[in-house]
Amino acid sequence: MPEEHHPDHAPLELEHFLPYRLSILSNAVSQAIADDYQRRFDLSMTEWRVMAVLARFDGLSAREVAERTLMDKVAVSRALAKLVEAGWVTRATHDGDKRRSVLGLSETGWAVHEVVAPMARSHERDLLAKLDEEERTWLARILDKLQPVQPL
Amino acid sequence: MPEEHHPDHAPLELEHFLPYRLSILSNAVSQAIADDYQRRFDLSMTEWRVMAVLARFDGLSAREVAERTLMDKVAVSRALAKLVEAGWVTRATHDGDKRRSVLGLSETGWAVHEVVAPMARSHERDLLAKLDEEERTWLARILDKLQPVQPL
DNA sequence: ACGTTATAGTTACACATGAAACCATTTGCA
DNA sequence: TGCAAATGGTTTCATGTGTAACTATAACGT
């Protein structure tokens, strides 16, 4: 954090620049997790996010998946194409609105989820283990305040 | 943060999953800044990072830039090609090692830097303004502990 | 000195990603 | 009803990004 005020035009010190530090940390963490399930299931991060949200909310449409994952609909469409092809997600057409799809995890989709979810949680635990209880509490609070929008 | 332990196979709640929250926050922040200088200077995030590090450390080689920005050398090579082309970065050959390049900001490069650096700092200030002093202190400490590696 | 190995940097290729165009269906409203 | 506008979703195209191959130069070991 900027302790003293540097003149605004002074060279940016990236290693103390909050957005940069967040980016480095976030990428390292997400990539470590993604590497894990990519190797085991050839599953991209966007695909995993789609599966995760369908695990919680069965029967969503593609648009609703996009809203919940904060991904754009093109990304979701492509992820779904692969997931349906792989047999991990089922897609039906909504009664009474033939545009809408009705999505859900298949049996094997659930099986994948039951392997990947613990992997993800394990990485999260490793990360949080670097903090003590007090720090974890503050982190939760700080993230709540910084979080841009929190869509359900 | 996980308050009670869910069974490991229970559906992941993305909105409480730390790596996911970090990713959303980080992307939102970095993208907001990048949008700003992309519109004004047609400058990508990787290009800006190269400029920022050259502003602080004059005369680096491409490899050293890559180390300091944590980007890979291909990304740096491409960024440099555009920056040299745009006339914002100067490139010479190292005396005594014709492989190495010697990089620095040009006059106009500095001029760009003096516009972009304040924009970046301003975004950082906006972000930190959402926290009180105590939270900022904890955040600094927490990031230090979570930070994967801290290369100079 | 000379061949092997390592290093700096670029190029080529394959793949991911986002914006805009597009098709099908449904909704709103005259 | 019927037609314009909106919505769900896919496809297209242009661009970005990472991996591996490649070129040029330098360092190392004999």
mmCIF file with all atom_site columns, all heavy atoms in Angstrom, chain B residues 37-50:
data_model
loop_
_atom_site.group_PDB
_atom_site.id
_atom_site.type_symbol
_atom_site.label_atom_id
_atom_site.label_alt_id
_atom_site.label_comp_id
_atom_site.label_asym_id
_atom_site.label_entity_id
_atom_site.label_seq_id
_atom_site.pdbx_PDB_ins_code
_atom_site.Cartn_x
_atom_site.Cartn_y
_atom_site.Cartn_z
_atom_site.occupancy
_atom_site.B_iso_or_equiv
_atom_site.pdbx_formal_charge
_atom_site.auth_seq_id
_atom_site.auth_comp_id
_atom_site.auth_asym_id
_atom_site.auth_atom_id
_atom_site.pdbx_PDB_model_num
ATOM 1   N N   . TYR B 1 37 ? -6.659  3.113  -20.266 1.00 0.00 ? 37 TYR B N   1
ATOM 2   C CA  . TYR B 1 37 ? -5.518  3.485  -21.100 1.00 0.00 ? 37 TYR B CA  1
ATOM 3   C C   . TYR B 1 37 ? -5.563  2.845  -22.469 1.00 0.00 ? 37 TYR B C   1
ATOM 4   O O   . TYR B 1 37 ? -4.906  3.303  -23.393 1.00 0.00 ? 37 TYR B O   1
ATOM 5   C CB  . TYR B 1 37 ? -4.172  3.243  -20.403 1.00 0.00 ? 37 TYR B CB  1
ATOM 6   C CG  . TYR B 1 37 ? -3.895  1.873  -19.857 1.00 0.00 ? 37 TYR B CG  1
ATOM 7   C CD1 . TYR B 1 37 ? -3.739  0.763  -20.676 1.00 0.00 ? 37 TYR B CD1 1
ATOM 8   C CD2 . TYR B 1 37 ? -3.743  1.700  -18.492 1.00 0.00 ? 37 TYR B CD2 1
ATOM 9   C CE1 . TYR B 1 37 ? -3.439  -0.475 -20.153 1.00 0.00 ? 37 TYR B CE1 1
ATOM 10  C CE2 . TYR B 1 37 ? -3.454  0.462  -17.955 1.00 0.00 ? 37 TYR B CE2 1
ATOM 11  C CZ  . TYR B 1 37 ? -3.303  -0.617 -18.790 1.00 0.00 ? 37 TYR B CZ  1
ATOM 12  O OH  . TYR B 1 37 ? -3.017  -1.848 -18.263 1.00 0.00 ? 37 TYR B OH  1
ATOM 13  N N   . GLN B 1 38 ? -6.380  1.805  -22.620 1.00 0.00 ? 38 GLN B N   1
ATOM 14  C CA  . GLN B 1 38 ? -6.541  1.261  -23.960 1.00 0.00 ? 38 GLN B CA  1
ATOM 15  C C   . GLN B 1 38 ? -7.244  2.270  -24.853 1.00 0.00 ? 38 GLN B C   1
ATOM 16  O O   . GLN B 1 38 ? -6.859  2.464  -25.997 1.00 0.00 ? 38 GLN B O   1
ATOM 17  C CB  . GLN B 1 38 ? -7.354  -0.033 -23.908 1.00 0.00 ? 38 GLN B CB  1
ATOM 18  C CG  . GLN B 1 38 ? -6.584  -1.245 -24.369 1.00 0.00 ? 38 GLN B CG  1
ATOM 19  C CD  . GLN B 1 38 ? -7.048  -2.492 -23.673 1.00 0.00 ? 38 GLN B CD  1
ATOM 20  O OE1 . GLN B 1 38 ? -8.245  -2.712 -23.485 1.00 0.00 ? 38 GLN B OE1 1
ATOM 21  N NE2 . GLN B 1 38 ? -6.112  -3.336 -23.296 1.00 0.00 ? 38 GLN B NE2 1
ATOM 22  N N   . ARG B 1 39 ? -8.283  2.870  -24.324 1.00 0.00 ? 39 ARG B N   1
ATOM 23  C CA  . ARG B 1 39 ? -8.995  3.863  -25.117 1.00 0.00 ? 39 ARG B CA  1
ATOM 24  C C   . ARG B 1 39 ? -8.098  5.029  -25.481 1.00 0.00 ? 39 ARG B C   1
ATOM 25  O O   . ARG B 1 39 ? -8.100  5.504  -26.601 1.00 0.00 ? 39 ARG B O   1
ATOM 26  C CB  . ARG B 1 39 ? -10.214 4.369  -24.348 1.00 0.00 ? 39 ARG B CB  1
ATOM 27  C CG  . ARG B 1 39 ? -11.475 3.527  -24.532 1.00 0.00 ? 39 ARG B CG  1
ATOM 28  C CD  . ARG B 1 39 ? -12.722 4.372  -24.290 1.00 0.00 ? 39 ARG B CD  1
ATOM 29  N NE  . ARG B 1 39 ? -12.478 5.409  -23.292 1.00 0.00 ? 39 ARG B NE  1
ATOM 30  C CZ  . ARG B 1 39 ? -12.501 5.217  -21.985 1.00 0.00 ? 39 ARG B CZ  1
ATOM 31  N NH1 . ARG B 1 39 ? -12.803 4.035  -21.509 1.00 0.00 ? 39 ARG B NH1 1
ATOM 32  N NH2 . ARG B 1 39 ? -12.249 6.197  -21.148 1.00 0.00 ? 39 ARG B NH2 1
ATOM 33  N N   . ARG B 1 40 ? -7.314  5.484  -24.536 1.00 0.00 ? 40 ARG B N   1
ATOM 34  C CA  . ARG B 1 40 ? -6.523  6.688  -24.805 1.00 0.00 ? 40 ARG B CA  1
ATOM 35  C C   . ARG B 1 40 ? -5.277  6.427  -25.621 1.00 0.00 ? 40 ARG B C   1
ATOM 36  O O   . ARG B 1 40 ? -4.820  7.271  -26.376 1.00 0.00 ? 40 ARG B O   1
ATOM 37  C CB  . ARG B 1 40 ? -6.121  7.355  -23.490 1.00 0.00 ? 40 ARG B CB  1
ATOM 38  C CG  . ARG B 1 40 ? -7.285  8.015  -22.816 1.00 0.00 ? 40 ARG B CG  1
ATOM 39  C CD  . ARG B 1 40 ? -6.854  9.134  -21.906 1.00 0.00 ? 40 ARG B CD  1
ATOM 40  N NE  . ARG B 1 40 ? -5.895  10.072 -22.490 1.00 0.00 ? 40 ARG B NE  1
ATOM 41  C CZ  . ARG B 1 40 ? -5.463  11.152 -21.872 1.00 0.00 ? 40 ARG B CZ  1
ATOM 42  N NH1 . ARG B 1 40 ? -5.884  11.419 -20.656 1.00 0.00 ? 40 ARG B NH1 1
ATOM 43  N NH2 . ARG B 1 40 ? -4.588  11.963 -22.454 1.00 0.00 ? 40 ARG B NH2 1
ATOM 44  N N   . PHE B 1 41 ? -4.656  5.262  -25.438 1.00 0.00 ? 41 PHE B N   1
ATOM 45  C CA  . PHE B 1 41 ? -3.349  5.053  -26.074 1.00 0.00 ? 41 PHE B CA  1
ATOM 46  C C   . PHE B 1 41 ? -3.240  3.761  -26.866 1.00 0.00 ? 41 PHE B C   1
ATOM 47  O O   . PHE B 1 41 ? -2.168  3.446  -27.357 1.00 0.00 ? 41 PHE B O   1
ATOM 48  C CB  . PHE B 1 41 ? -2.251  5.065  -25.008 1.00 0.00 ? 41 PHE B CB  1
ATOM 49  C CG  . PHE B 1 41 ? -2.071  6.375  -24.337 1.00 0.00 ? 41 PHE B CG  1
ATOM 50  C CD1 . PHE B 1 41 ? -2.534  6.583  -23.049 1.00 0.00 ? 41 PHE B CD1 1
ATOM 51  C CD2 . PHE B 1 41 ? -1.452  7.413  -25.000 1.00 0.00 ? 41 PHE B CD2 1
ATOM 52  C CE1 . PHE B 1 41 ? -2.368  7.799  -22.418 1.00 0.00 ? 41 PHE B CE1 1
ATOM 53  C CE2 . PHE B 1 41 ? -1.281  8.640  -24.383 1.00 0.00 ? 41 PHE B CE2 1
ATOM 54  C CZ  . PHE B 1 41 ? -1.739  8.836  -23.090 1.00 0.00 ? 41 PHE B CZ  1
ATOM 55  N N   . ASP B 1 42 ? -4.311  3.011  -26.981 1.00 0.00 ? 42 ASP B N   1
ATOM 56  C CA  . ASP B 1 42 ? -4.222  1.723  -27.646 1.00 0.00 ? 42 ASP B CA  1
ATOM 57  C C   . ASP B 1 42 ? -3.072  0.907  -27.064 1.00 0.00 ? 42 ASP B C   1
ATOM 58  O O   . ASP B 1 42 ? -2.202  0.411  -27.770 1.00 0.00 ? 42 ASP B O   1
ATOM 59  C CB  . ASP B 1 42 ? -4.047  1.891  -29.157 1.00 0.00 ? 42 ASP B CB  1
ATOM 60  C CG  . ASP B 1 42 ? -4.088  0.561  -29.881 1.00 0.00 ? 42 ASP B CG  1
ATOM 61  O OD1 . ASP B 1 42 ? -4.776  -0.344 -29.397 1.00 0.00 ? 42 ASP B OD1 1
ATOM 62  O OD2 . ASP B 1 42 ? -3.391  0.415  -30.903 1.00 0.00 ? 42 ASP B OD2 1
ATOM 63  N N   . LEU B 1 43 ? -3.083  0.814  -25.757 1.00 0.00 ? 43 LEU B N   1
ATOM 64  C CA  . LEU B 1 43 ? -1.993  0.190  -25.003 1.00 0.00 ? 43 LEU B CA  1
ATOM 65  C C   . LEU B 1 43 ? -2.590  -1.005 -24.273 1.00 0.00 ? 43 LEU B C   1
ATOM 66  O O   . LEU B 1 43 ? -3.564  -0.866 -23.541 1.00 0.00 ? 43 LEU B O   1
ATOM 67  C CB  . LEU B 1 43 ? -1.469  1.224  -23.996 1.00 0.00 ? 43 LEU B CB  1
ATOM 68  C CG  . LEU B 1 43 ? -0.178  0.997  -23.262 1.00 0.00 ? 43 LEU B CG  1
ATOM 69  C CD1 . LEU B 1 43 ? 0.987   0.921  -24.241 1.00 0.00 ? 43 LEU B CD1 1
ATOM 70  C CD2 . LEU B 1 43 ? 0.045   2.111  -22.256 1.00 0.00 ? 43 LEU B CD2 1
ATOM 71  N N   . SER B 1 44 ? -2.042  -2.193 -24.511 1.00 0.00 ? 44 SER B N   1
ATOM 72  C CA  . SER B 1 44 ? -2.568  -3.365 -23.818 1.00 0.00 ? 44 SER B CA  1
ATOM 73  C C   . SER B 1 44 ? -1.980  -3.439 -22.414 1.00 0.00 ? 44 SER B C   1
ATOM 74  O O   . SER B 1 44 ? -1.018  -2.745 -22.086 1.00 0.00 ? 44 SER B O   1
ATOM 75  C CB  . SER B 1 44 ? -2.225  -4.632 -24.585 1.00 0.00 ? 44 SER B CB  1
ATOM 76  O OG  . SER B 1 44 ? -0.869  -4.948 -24.386 1.00 0.00 ? 44 SER B OG  1
ATOM 77  N N   . MET B 1 45 ? -2.538  -4.291 -21.587 1.00 0.00 ? 45 MET B N   1
ATOM 78  C CA  . MET B 1 45 ? -2.075  -4.419 -20.219 1.00 0.00 ? 45 MET B CA  1
ATOM 79  C C   . MET B 1 45 ? -0.622  -4.883 -20.196 1.00 0.00 ? 45 MET B C   1
ATOM 80  O O   . MET B 1 45 ? 0.186   -4.349 -19.428 1.00 0.00 ? 45 MET B O   1
ATOM 81  C CB  . MET B 1 45 ? -2.956  -5.401 -19.458 1.00 0.00 ? 45 MET B CB  1
ATOM 82  C CG  . MET B 1 45 ? -2.812  -5.276 -17.966 1.00 0.00 ? 45 MET B CG  1
ATOM 83  S SD  . MET B 1 45 ? -4.179  -6.066 -17.096 1.00 0.00 ? 45 MET B SD  1
ATOM 84  C CE  . MET B 1 45 ? -3.736  -7.780 -17.267 1.00 0.00 ? 45 MET B CE  1
ATOM 85  N N   . THR B 1 46 ? -0.299  -5.858 -21.024 1.00 0.00 ? 46 THR B N   1
ATOM 86  C CA  . THR B 1 46 ? 1.090   -6.331 -21.013 1.00 0.00 ? 46 THR B CA  1
ATOM 87  C C   . THR B 1 46 ? 2.029   -5.213 -21.470 1.00 0.00 ? 46 THR B C   1
ATOM 88  O O   . THR B 1 46 ? 3.115   -5.052 -20.914 1.00 0.00 ? 46 THR B O   1
ATOM 89  C CB  . THR B 1 46 ? 1.262   -7.544 -21.941 1.00 0.00 ? 46 THR B CB  1
ATOM 90  O OG1 . THR B 1 46 ? 0.947   -7.161 -23.270 1.00 0.00 ? 46 THR B OG1 1
ATOM 91  C CG2 . THR B 1 46 ? 0.359   -8.678 -21.526 1.00 0.00 ? 46 THR B CG2 1
ATOM 92  N N   . GLU B 1 47 ? 1.586   -4.445 -22.457 1.00 0.00 ? 47 GLU B N   1
ATOM 93  C CA  . GLU B 1 47 ? 2.443   -3.356 -22.908 1.00 0.00 ? 47 GLU B CA  1
ATOM 94  C C   . GLU B 1 47 ? 2.644   -2.321 -21.808 1.00 0.00 ? 47 GLU B C   1
ATOM 95  O O   . GLU B 1 47 ? 3.759   -1.852 -21.578 1.00 0.00 ? 47 GLU B O   1
ATOM 96  C CB  . GLU B 1 47 ? 1.846   -2.700 -24.166 1.00 0.00 ? 47 GLU B CB  1
ATOM 97  C CG  . GLU B 1 47 ? 2.022   -3.552 -25.421 1.00 0.00 ? 47 GLU B CG  1
ATOM 98  C CD  . GLU B 1 47 ? 0.934   -3.331 -26.451 1.00 0.00 ? 47 GLU B CD  1
ATOM 99  O OE1 . GLU B 1 47 ? 0.243   -2.295 -26.394 1.00 0.00 ? 47 GLU B OE1 1
ATOM 100 O OE2 . GLU B 1 47 ? 0.754   -4.205 -27.319 1.00 0.00 ? 47 GLU B OE2 1
ATOM 101 N N   . TRP B 1 48 ? 1.571   -2.005 -21.114 1.00 0.00 ? 48 TRP B N   1
ATOM 102 C CA  . TRP B 1 48 ? 1.707   -1.039 -20.039 1.00 0.00 ? 48 TRP B CA  1
ATOM 103 C C   . TRP B 1 48 ? 2.646   -1.558 -18.950 1.00 0.00 ? 48 TRP B C   1
ATOM 104 O O   . TRP B 1 48 ? 3.473   -0.821 -18.419 1.00 0.00 ? 48 TRP B O   1
ATOM 105 C CB  . TRP B 1 48 ? 0.357   -0.679 -19.439 1.00 0.00 ? 48 TRP B CB  1
ATOM 106 C CG  . TRP B 1 48 ? 0.507   0.001  -18.117 1.00 0.00 ? 48 TRP B CG  1
ATOM 107 C CD1 . TRP B 1 48 ? 0.084   -0.459 -16.909 1.00 0.00 ? 48 TRP B CD1 1
ATOM 108 C CD2 . TRP B 1 48 ? 1.151   1.264  -17.872 1.00 0.00 ? 48 TRP B CD2 1
ATOM 109 N NE1 . TRP B 1 48 ? 0.427   0.425  -15.919 1.00 0.00 ? 48 TRP B NE1 1
ATOM 110 C CE2 . TRP B 1 48 ? 1.085   1.497  -16.484 1.00 0.00 ? 48 TRP B CE2 1
ATOM 111 C CE3 . TRP B 1 48 ? 1.783   2.205  -18.686 1.00 0.00 ? 48 TRP B CE3 1
ATOM 112 C CZ2 . TRP B 1 48 ? 1.630   2.641  -15.893 1.00 0.00 ? 48 TRP B CZ2 1
ATOM 113 C CZ3 . TRP B 1 48 ? 2.327   3.335  -18.095 1.00 0.00 ? 48 TRP B CZ3 1
ATOM 114 C CH2 . TRP B 1 48 ? 2.240   3.553  -16.713 1.00 0.00 ? 48 TRP B CH2 1
ATOM 115 N N   . ARG B 1 49 ? 2.545   -2.818 -18.640 1.00 0.00 ? 49 ARG B N   1
ATOM 116 C CA  . ARG B 1 49 ? 3.432   -3.346 -17.600 1.00 0.00 ? 49 ARG B CA  1
ATOM 117 C C   . ARG B 1 49 ? 4.888   -3.236 -18.015 1.00 0.00 ? 49 ARG B C   1
ATOM 118 O O   . ARG B 1 49 ? 5.753   -2.930 -17.210 1.00 0.00 ? 49 ARG B O   1
ATOM 119 C CB  . ARG B 1 49 ? 3.076   -4.806 -17.297 1.00 0.00 ? 49 ARG B CB  1
ATOM 120 C CG  . ARG B 1 49 ? 1.824   -4.906 -16.437 1.00 0.00 ? 49 ARG B CG  1
ATOM 121 C CD  . ARG B 1 49 ? 1.510   -6.335 -16.042 1.00 0.00 ? 49 ARG B CD  1
ATOM 122 N NE  . ARG B 1 49 ? 0.257   -6.375 -15.279 1.00 0.00 ? 49 ARG B NE  1
ATOM 123 C CZ  . ARG B 1 49 ? -0.355  -7.493 -14.918 1.00 0.00 ? 49 ARG B CZ  1
ATOM 124 N NH1 . ARG B 1 49 ? 0.161   -8.659 -15.253 1.00 0.00 ? 49 ARG B NH1 1
ATOM 125 N NH2 . ARG B 1 49 ? -1.473  -7.441 -14.217 1.00 0.00 ? 49 ARG B NH2 1
ATOM 126 N N   . VAL B 1 50 ? 5.151   -3.485 -19.280 1.00 0.00 ? 50 VAL B N   1
ATOM 127 C CA  . VAL B 1 50 ? 6.522   -3.340 -19.766 1.00 0.00 ? 50 VAL B CA  1
ATOM 128 C C   . VAL B 1 50 ? 6.976   -1.893 -19.604 1.00 0.00 ? 50 VAL B C   1
ATOM 129 O O   . VAL B 1 50 ? 8.070   -1.621 -19.094 1.00 0.00 ? 50 VAL B O   1
ATOM 130 C CB  . VAL B 1 50 ? 6.621   -3.780 -21.234 1.00 0.00 ? 50 VAL B CB  1
ATOM 131 C CG1 . VAL B 1 50 ? 7.962   -3.375 -21.829 1.00 0.00 ? 50 VAL B CG1 1
ATOM 132 C CG2 . VAL B 1 50 ? 6.427   -5.282 -21.356 1.00 0.00 ? 50 VAL B CG2 1
#
